[in-house]
Amino acid sequence: MVDLLEYAVRGIPTGCVFALLAVGLVLTYKTSGVFNLAFAAQAYTSAAVFYVLRKEQEWPLFWSAFIAIVIVGPALGLLLERVLFRHLRGAGSLAKMVTSLGLLIAIPEVVKLFFGSDAKSNPPPLWYVRRTDEWLWPQGSKFVFDAGQVTTILSTLVVVLGLTVLFRYTNLGLRMRAVVESSRLAELNGVNAERVSMASWMLSSMLAGLAGVLVAPLFASLNPIDLFTLLVAALAATVVGGLSSIPLTFIGAIGLGMLQAVLAGSLPTNSVLATGLRPGLPFLVLFALLIFRPGLRSNSEMADPLATVDPPLPVPVAVSRPRWMSISSRTVGVVATMFGLLVSWFVLDGFWLAIVISGVVLGVIMLSLTVVTGIGGMLSLAQASLAAIGAFTTAQVVTATGLPVLVAMLIGAAVAAACGALLAIPVVRLDGVYLALGTLAFALMFESILVPLSWVSGGSVPLAVPRPVIGPWDLADDRYFLLFAALCLTVIALAVIRVRQGTTGRFLQAIQSSPTAANSIGISGGRSRIIAFTLAAGIAGFGGGLLASFAGRANYQASFPYVVGLVWVALVISAGARSIQAAVFSGIMFFLLPATLNRVFSWPENYLEAHQQAPEWMQNLLGLVQPNWAVPVSFILFGIGAFTYAKHPEGIIEAQTNSSVTAVLLWTERRKAKVDATSSMDTPQVSA
Amino acid sequence: MSPTADSTEQPTEQPAPLLQASGISKRFAGLMALADVSIQVEAGETVAVIGPNGAGKSTLFNCLSGVLRADRGTVTFDGQRLESLSPTQRSRLGIARTFQRIELFGGMTVRDHLMVADRARSGRGGLWSDLFRSSKPTEEEHARCQAVLDLLGLDEVQDRSADSLSLGKGRLVELGRALMCEPKLLFLDEPSSGLDRNETEEMSLALETVQREHGTAVVLIEHDVPMVQRLATRIYVLDYGSLIASGNTQEVLQDEVVRAAYLGVAT
Ligand SMILES: Nc1ncnc2c1ncn2[C@@H]1O[C@H](COP(=O)(O)OP(=O)(O)OP(=O)(O)O)[C@@H](O)[C@H]1O
Ligand SMILES: [Mg+2]
């Protein structure tokens, strides 16, 4: 019993960090409707500023902390609110979340461009006080907090105190609380929602910055992914508070920290439970809370008379095009594909060929997003994990049974589909943002609990997956593999088109545009969505197996971390969630853009090497450009792409196509009108 | 087509009504939207529910069609208890409805609206046939669809996207979509609101035809008194969530209390 208490107390500092992040999330969610995943990136930014000032510039502790937390944190929040989220007030919560996803991807890369992308190891600690046993209570006490933990607890106490004072005694705070507790009513009562949302963005960004600086020393090096994982854990606390109660969120956060510590201490070490459950616990809790907290399910009956004030999700509408146009655009597509294949076959060297193949294979996985998000209307953040399930299964089946790889890939797809169905059954009852969070929780559970297990991933050394041999063709030759991958992509794309145009696609479209009406004619939302989710999981699983076979190994860290999956989602959504071209395009872009940019950014270096006599100003100027900008710049572009979703939910490619179709139609109509006008001069007639 | 087509002859002994709702109550926070309301509908008949704005008419429809769950009360339809069934399940039993605030599927053509409803009813088509067979409509499906298009005069706009239609046409599409479910009971929430004279006439005619040919029972919420007089044989009057009168159309419309509560407000 005493032991448990001891463990629980040890969890308090972690709980405090969860609390700081969680309270920020609740504040911005309630005041501006943004579920801001980018707090992780903002925390990273503050931590990086603190790192640079304190460790590299060796500033005094106070000023480094002050700049990083009190200046940079709120300033970044203010910037995001002014430049981005302010203009999204009318957008749906999903669009806002996708925007924050873009920021999550882009911001850390911007930071890396500024401060260098080399690993920032051993982040400096933020503390003033010493270990508890040196000043607070006697040595030998069971409850020992080190200096960092004491600082965390004290800062959190200060924040709690500050928030209490703010919410109780200040005008702004009262209005903030009004908005947090019932945003619409507060707005109706004349609270200036914009100022409130601005203030809460600054406040919550500062809390995120504080959390970032506080936890950074716990990791060996500064890394946005670690912070994001922490943020998702903090999400569990926000769900405890029902996304609106700040005190409950605090309690949930501290409780979560304690529970985690108790588990860590009391479970037998080295057992599966200890290694898997402890890091996975917050995600399990988040998942369970989402599923079992009925209040969060928006499919429940509308108790709020103002509930319909939120505009529904925009349904992507394709401009209907005449037959000749779709035939000609299809022809162009086929010709372009053929041309691409020919170029790849005859012209490309091994490096670029590998890039193209990876892109084509990723295109298959992207098509799974087309099915689940574009056709099914569900923002799934777990497709990378489902692809990984396919890859692992393929590898395990090949290793264990020696079956042909192709068969193993199909088994992988089936297993992924089964897992997808199991996940879908609880998850499709959620709506919009909650569904996205549920799948994200699943992805993290998978990563932290299942991936380390050797019967899943094969342990620390990735399992080998051979290339298929089909009849006389040994796909160990990359060019044959390319043809095979392109064939798979084509077949799956055709299947996806059939589903989109078929009964399943129509039912899903009906459910998205009016769930009540769809139910009233006997279409069950749950069933159709489970089907879409399962199909998508199967496609992702197949793509995962294919990717593993191409790479030669089912390597989770290299191909399928959940964060990579987030980038895929941002990419495919901004290109066009419903369109096949967009899926293929974004699959190829994911690999092609960084590789191309690398060549572009290497050019100055090579040029200077070749031209030693170049004038000095040119040397200085060109010397600025570095090849390792390629990856950050690509990711920044991918992230920025996601911002367009709020404006063009149908995607950039689809929007482009639609506007050019409209232009062509207008042009043909005008020409027809001209011809009509000239002909009607000869024979005067009243035309309709 | 429908089994209840012979509605011309009334059997002598009274069979169980098609829909029997008793003691329906629904409360929204402090507001009693429905208090102990009972209505019954015989197979093939048309009844109207009238009442001033906010009387609870739409709420009654929502409770009967399953969109909302009533706090209390029982609903029996065609010999089956409905309370625990979802809207989808109720629809499969033969209840269809339209909405006061029109609910169309954005981006779908008029024909697709009907086709989707037909597929949902027949259960034809699914992932398997999408992938490996054809999901194209069959001859019969085309015929069923065409029949409804002709009945409602939607033939010319069948390839137009539903959100480009006028409100009147939109209401007709909603009615068509409901009819494709081949319902035994049809709930219409203010079918004539937003319609001009011609369209109202078209709507009334279509309803009469449907009733004659398929023996569908209709419950309609309607403010348009001539339309109510023309279509409904019986009326229920709601005010502040309670039933204040019910009975034969002409008698109820003459009733003093009803005139005070309803007609006074409406005009
Ligand atoms: N989902 C809801 N939540 C809270 N109150 C509601 C809800 N739906 C309806 N109400 C309230 O219940 C009462 C009855 O509403 P209802 O829509 O049933 O009226 P109605 O008779 O259909 O009126 P109208 O002629 O305007 O359509 C109204 O006061 C309305 O504000
Ligand atoms: Mg109404």
Side-chain angles (χ1 to χ4, degrees):
Chain A
M1 207 49 227
V2 179
D3 276 354
L4 282 192
L5 182 68
E6 186 192 334
Y7 293 135
V9 169
R10 273 194 211 152
I12 292 179
T14 323
C16 287
V17 173
F18 289 159
L20 292 174
L21 288 169
V23 167
L25 276 168
V26 172
L27 271 177
T28 39
Y29 181 63
K30 290 301 278 191
T31 52
S32 58
V34 181
F35 212 97
N36 187 21
L37 300 178
F39 275 140
Q42 291 171 252
Y44 172 75
T45 309
S46 285
V49 170
F50 183 70
Y51 183 99
V52 169
L53 292 182
R54 179 85 183 116
K55 194 155 180 188
E56 291 176 2
Q57 308 290 328
E58 298 183 338
W59 282 28
L61 181 72
F62 175 79
W63 287 111
S64 324
F66 185 80
I67 301 274
I69 299 168
V70 184
I71 306 287
V72 172
L76 187 54
L78 183 66
L79 182 77
L80 297 184
E81 204 274 343
R82 291 273 104 173
V83 174
L84 223 53
F85 289 108
R86 192 167 202 227
H87 306 287
L88 294 181
R89 280 197 80 83
S93 50
L94 209 52
K96 291 173 181 166
M97 191 186 195
V98 171
T99 309
S100 80
L101 190 60
L103 285 172
L104 176 69
I105 295 166
I107 291 178
E109 304 301 331
V110 175
V111 171
K112 283 183 194 161
L113 278 188
F114 267 95
F115 297 137
S117 55
D118 45 328
K120 299 199 170 9
S121 47
N122 297 325
L126 166 73
W127 64 58
Y128 288 105
V129 279
R130 286 164 294 142
R131 304 163 54 95
T132 44
D133 53 350
E134 287 172 18
W135 61 288
L136 204 53
W137 42 69
Q139 220 150 11
S141 159
K142 278 190 165 174
F143 307 116
V144 180
F145 291 128
D146 66 26
Q149 292 171 326
V150 176
T151 316
T152 305
I153 296 174
L154 289 180
S155 328
T156 312
L157 281 179
V158 170
V159 167
V160 171
L161 220 69
L163 285 179
T164 315
V165 170
L166 179 76
F167 286 146
R168 283 263 156 95
Y169 303 110
T170 70
N171 215 338
L172 180 71
L174 281 176
R175 276 184 280 162
M176 266 165 119
R177 209 173 65 177
V179 175
V180 168
E181 269 156 23
S182 174
S183 50
R184 292 205 191 81
L185 285 179
E187 215 164 306
L188 292 179
N189 285 331
V191 171
N192 182 341
E194 260 184 30
R195 275 197 43 204
V196 167
S197 113
M198 213 167 81
S200 62
W201 266 94
M202 291 171 67
L203 180 59
S204 45
S205 301
M206 188 172 82
L207 296 185
L210 174 62
V213 174
L214 282 174
V215 295
L218 298 185
F219 301 102
S221 69
L222 198 52
N223 186 345
I225 297 171
D226 292 331
L227 292 175
F228 186 60
T229 309
L230 215 60
L231 182 85
V232 181
L235 281 174
T238 66
V239 178
V240 171
L243 288 154
S244 65
S245 159
I246 289 180
L248 269 185
T249 306
F250 256 109
I251 295 171
I254 307 282
L256 196 63
M258 288 178 156
L259 190 59
Q260 209 174 2
V262 167
L263 277 185
S266 56
L267 287 177
T269 43
N270 290 331
S271 77
V272 173
L273 280 178
T275 47
L277 196 56
R278 200 181 55 86
L281 178 79
F283 317 121
L284 257 169
V285 172
L286 173 62
F287 192 76
L289 282 173
L290 282 170
I291 304 299
F292 294 115
R293 247 194 98 113
L296 288 175
R297 256 181 252 147
S298 32
N299 282 351
S300 63
E301 81 186 42
M302 316 148 270
D304 181 4
L306 298 163
T308 50
V309 174
D310 256 355
L313 260 190
V315 176
V317 184
V319 173
S320 63
R321 37 200 95 152
R323 214 179 144 64
W324 62 267
M325 204 182 276
S326 38
I327 289 176
S328 55
S329 73
R330 223 168 281 166
T331 321
V332 170
V334 171
V335 171
T337 311
M338 285 322 217
F339 181 73
L341 285 180
L342 284 177
V343 168
S344 309
W345 184 280
F346 291 110
V347 181
L348 293 188
D349 62 16
F351 174 78
W352 291 101
L353 188 59
I355 297 250
V356 171
I357 298 174
S358 309
V360 170
V361 174
L362 185 58
V364 172
I365 300 180
M366 294 295 197
L367 280 176
S368 85
L369 279 160
T370 309
V371 171
V372 70
T373 305
I375 302 176
M378 298 168 277
L379 185 67
S380 163
L381 301 180
Q383 293 313 104
S385 311
L386 293 166
I389 290 177
F392 289 151
T393 312
T394 309
Q396 297 280 13
V397 167
V398 168
T399 318
T401 65
L403 280 172
V405 196
L406 263 181
V407 178
M409 282 199 264
L410 290 176
I411 296 177
V415 170
C419 294
L422 280 182
L423 171 62
I425 290 168
V427 149
V428 296
R429 289 185 302 172
L430 303 170
D431 247 20
V433 173
Y434 299 112
L435 188 143
L437 294 181
T439 51
L440 184 60
F442 169 81
L444 275 150
M445 281 194 284
F446 178 72
E447 179 162 315
S448 54
I449 301 176
L450 290 178
V451 172
L453 302 179
S454 66
W455 63 267
V456 176
S457 63
S460 51
V461 180
L463 287 173
V465 183
R467 299 268 181 100
V469 179
I470 305 169
W473 297 290
D474 184 353
L475 301 196
D477 183 340
D478 273 359
R479 290 183 300 176
Y480 284 124
F481 196 93
L482 173 66
L483 284 193
F484 176 66
L487 183 72
C488 292
L489 183 67
T490 313
V491 170
I492 293 175
L494 289 176
V496 171
I497 291 176
R498 295 194 68 144
V499 170
R500 190 176 64 190
Q501 291 172 342
T503 317
T504 312
R506 291 284 154 79
F507 279 12
L508 286 163
Q509 195 183 355
I511 288 160
Q512 279 174 72
S513 55
S514 169
T516 3
N519 287 336
S520 84
I521 56 172
I523 298 175
S524 139
R527 205 181 114 88
S528 315
R529 293 173 90 185
I530 288 174
I531 290 175
F533 206 101
T534 308
L535 177 67
I539 295 176
F542 185 78
L546 207 56
L547 201 56
S549 167
F550 176 61
R553 297 189 168 278
N555 188 342
Y556 185 85
Q557 288 313 327
S559 310
F560 309 109
Y562 78 98
V563 193
V564 170
L566 298 185
V567 181
W568 296 347
V569 171
L571 242 176
V572 84
I573 278 185
S574 43
R578 277 179 76 84
S579 112
I580 305 292
Q581 301 96 293
V584 178
F585 169 84
S586 40
I588 293 179
M589 259 320 163
F590 182 77
F591 291 106
L592 193 59
L593 188 64
T596 315
L597 284 182
N598 188 289
R599 287 293 156 98
V600 172
F601 292 144
S602 319
W603 177 81
E605 215 176 62
N606 298 340
Y607 179 84
L608 288 183
E609 232 157 68
H611 300 75
Q612 300 282 352
Q613 270 77 42
E616 195 166 341
W617 62 268
M618 200 180 210
Q619 292 204 9
N620 289 340
L621 195 69
L622 292 183
L624 285 178
V625 181
Q626 283 165 26
N628 63 9
W629 283 2
V631 174
V633 169
S634 321
F635 277 60
I636 290 170
L637 290 176
F638 295 157
I640 290 176
F643 300 169
T644 59
Y645 175 76
K647 205 166 165 213
H648 290 294
E650 74 275 31
I652 301 167
I653 291 191
E654 202 69 357
Q656 279 305 324
T657 323
N658 283 348
S659 63
S660 39
V661 166
T662 321
V664 171
L665 287 182
L666 259 181
W667 181 73
T668 46
E669 245 165 57
R670 273 212 209 104
R671 255 189 41 168
K672 238 169 89 189
K674 236 185 203 164
V675 174
D676 284 352
T678 46
S679 65
S680 67
M681 291 234 249
D682 315 330
T683 50
Q685 255 175 4
V686 187
S687 65
Chain B
M1 229 182 275
S2 150
T4 53
D6 54 337
S7 61
T8 40
E9 277 180 350
Q10 288 281 326
T12 36
E13 81 272 27
Q14 200 68 12
L18 180 66
L19 178 84
Q20 171 85 57
S22 322
I24 305 284
S25 300
K26 177 77 194 175
R27 181 187 277 284
F28 294 117
L31 180 100
M32 202 68 188
L34 287 176
D36 199 21
V37 174
S38 304
I39 76 167
Q40 74 180 51
V41 183
E42 306 291 339
E45 78 168 335
T46 301
V47 300
V49 177
I50 63 172
N53 291 106
K57 304 177 299 285
S58 299
T59 305
L60 178 64
F61 268 27
N62 286 340
C63 289
L64 295 178
S65 64
V67 174
L68 289 177
R69 224 145 253 189
D71 299 334
R72 240 171 303 123
T74 59
V75 188
T76 314
F77 175 75
D78 214 8
Q80 219 165 341
R81 291 290 286 269
L82 294 187
E83 293 95 275
S84 60
L85 300 186
S86 68
T88 317
Q89 290 165 320
R90 296 186 200 204
S91 149
R92 300 221 172 101
L93 290 177
I95 296 180
R97 68 168 295 179
T98 66
F99 298 86
Q100 177 173 6
R101 246 192 54 200
I102 199 161
E103 295 270 358
L104 292 171
F105 302 138
M108 269 197 219
T109 66
V110 172
R111 175 173 272 279
D112 282 346
H113 274 77
L114 305 190
M115 210 56 98
V116 158
D118 192 61
R119 287 273 164 94
R121 180 194 54 78
S122 67
R124 217 184 76 82
L127 189 61
W128 192 258
S129 59
D130 284 342
L131 285 177
F132 301 111
R133 283 184 252 144
S134 172
S135 57
K136 289 226 173 66
T138 61
E139 287 295 317
E140 292 156 60
E141 285 175 325
H142 266 309
R144 274 201 294 269
C145 207
Q146 194 59 45
V148 170
L149 287 171
D150 289 337
L151 174 70
L152 299 175
L154 289 172
D155 198 34
E156 286 125 67
V157 293
Q158 58 167 304
D159 289 321
R160 290 257 302 273
S161 160
D163 31 30
S164 68
L165 297 176
S166 67
L167 180 58
K169 289 282 182 229
R171 288 211 185 277
L172 285 171
V173 174
E174 265 204 331
L175 175 60
R177 185 178 65 191
L179 288 177
M180 288 309 284
C181 301
E182 298 184 351
K184 295 182 192 137
L185 177 62
L186 191 54
F187 288 115
L188 304 177
D189 199 341
E190 308 204 2
S192 81
S193 90
L195 270 61
D196 63 23
R197 233 163 236 305
N198 279 339
E199 288 171 329
T200 309
E201 176 63 27
E202 225 167 284
M203 178 77 82
S204 304
L205 260 176
L207 284 176
E208 283 172 341
T209 317
V210 169
Q211 204 139 37
R212 201 172 48 241
E213 292 181 358
H214 302 289
T216 311
V218 177
V219 183
L220 79 157
I221 295 175
E222 191 47 76
H223 288 296
D224 184 69
V225 176
M227 186 169 173
V228 169
Q229 282 173 321
R230 173 173 173 183
L231 294 173
T233 48
R234 288 190 302 121
I235 294 191
Y236 290 95
V237 186
L238 278 179
D239 194 19
Y240 292 112
S242 340
L243 213 51
I244 58 167
S246 64
N248 184 285
T249 305
Q250 289 312 326
E251 282 163 26
V252 170
L253 285 177
Q254 301 305 325
D255 190 291
E256 284 303 313
V257 184
V258 175
R259 294 184 79 88
Y262 178 58
L263 298 178
V265 180
T267 45

